[in-house]
Amino acid sequence: MRLFFAYWPSVSKAREIVPWVEKAHALFGGRVMRTDTLHMTLAFLGETDPDTTGRLVAACRGWSLPTGSMVLNQPGRFKNAKVVWLGPEQRSAEELEWLHRAHQRLWGLLQPLGWQPREPQFRPHVSLLRNAGPGALDTLQGPAVSWSPDRCVLVGSRPSERGSHYTVLAELALFQE
Ligand code: ATP
Ligand code: MG
């Protein structure tokens, strides 16, 4: 099972993101992320054995992370992975500081347990499509989505025919900065 930590939107917040999913799919094709799987990954840990997973589930129950507000309205792509995503806009350096602090704090808790980040930098995003075709991103527009995450979870991900199947394994406490 692969593991990751993510901010998880409420059902109503996820529904606000759906117009972006539909527009992206109309433009670029590929496989849409279902409404109940939309999320923002904070840390991807990769394939993990059951014993290690169990230890992490127990350890992270005592952890807490900051939350704050963001406005999702910037589309982007990870070209190699053919992912089209929606990310937060950043009007000032301070605006998204809380999100980067959350990422750092989480890795600061994970590293003493032996986990190492795989990505050189944190690129906050909500994936909309997998296996997307080509096309200019400037045609992808939609309603800005204001989001203050109220849920951060450790998720187990198992591959299946219709895309990875996610299971929530633990939930972290959040505090407003
Ligand atoms: P699939 O790989 O079957 O298309 P998925 O990408 O949703 O599905 P996972 O690969 O388990 O499922 O990834 C879980 C989450 O972690 C996703 O949000 C994914 O974008 C993110 N993720 C995957 N690999 C990395 C990575 N190397 N670095 C950062 N985030 C990653
Ligand atoms: Mg993947």
Side-chain angles (χ1 to χ4, degrees):
M1 188 160 62
R2 292 178 296 215
L3 300 182
F4 63 102
F5 285 91
Y7 286 125
W8 213 270
S10 65
V11 175
S12 64
K13 193 52 66 180
R15 285 192 184 131
E16 290 182 44
I17 302 171
V18 169
W20 287 91
V21 177
E22 290 171 346
K23 183 81 190 288
H25 189 244
L27 287 168
F28 310 124
R31 173 160 60 83
V32 297
M33 291 291 286
R34 294 198 322 267
T35 308
D36 61 339
T37 63
L38 294 168
H39 64 272
M40 176 175 281
T41 299
L42 268 182
F44 180 74
L45 307 182
E47 193 64 40
T48 308
D49 64 66
D51 285 354
T52 311
T53 300
R55 282 196 296 275
L56 180 61
V57 166
C60 77
R61 290 218 166 97
W63 296 355
S64 63
L65 290 182
T67 185
S69 61
M70 63 180 122
V71 177
L72 300 170
N73 71 352
Q74 296 291 313
R77 272 182 188 275
F78 293 137
K79 292 219 167 56
N80 296 343
K82 295 190 177 164
V83 170
V84 171
W85 48 261
L86 180 64
E89 70 172 13
Q90 187 171 358
R91 289 202 217 89
S92 64
E94 298 79 41
E95 205 178 31
L96 286 178
E97 248 184 83
W98 69 268
L99 186 52
H100 291 271
R101 270 201 302 277
H103 174 260
Q104 277 166 15
R105 181 177 164 101
L106 179 55
W107 277 110
L109 292 159
L110 285 165
Q111 275 169 337
L113 302 181
W115 304 94
Q116 294 297 332
R118 295 154 182 247
E119 303 290 307
Q121 61 158 352
F122 176 44
R123 302 274 304 279
H125 67 279
V126 176
S127 294
L128 305 173
L129 296 178
R130 313 268 177 208
N131 286 318
L137 276 179
D138 51 14
T139 52
L140 176 54
Q141 287 159 10
V145 178
S146 296
W147 184 28
S148 301
D150 57 10
R151 218 175 161 220
C152 183
V153 287
L154 171 62
V155 181
S157 163
R158 282 202 177 87
S160 81
E161 284 150 31
R162 297 191 301 121
S164 288
H165 182 77
Y166 298 152
T167 308
V168 171
L169 303 176
E171 180 151 358
L172 304 192
L174 295 179
F175 57 88
Q176 196 78 38
E177 287 230 304

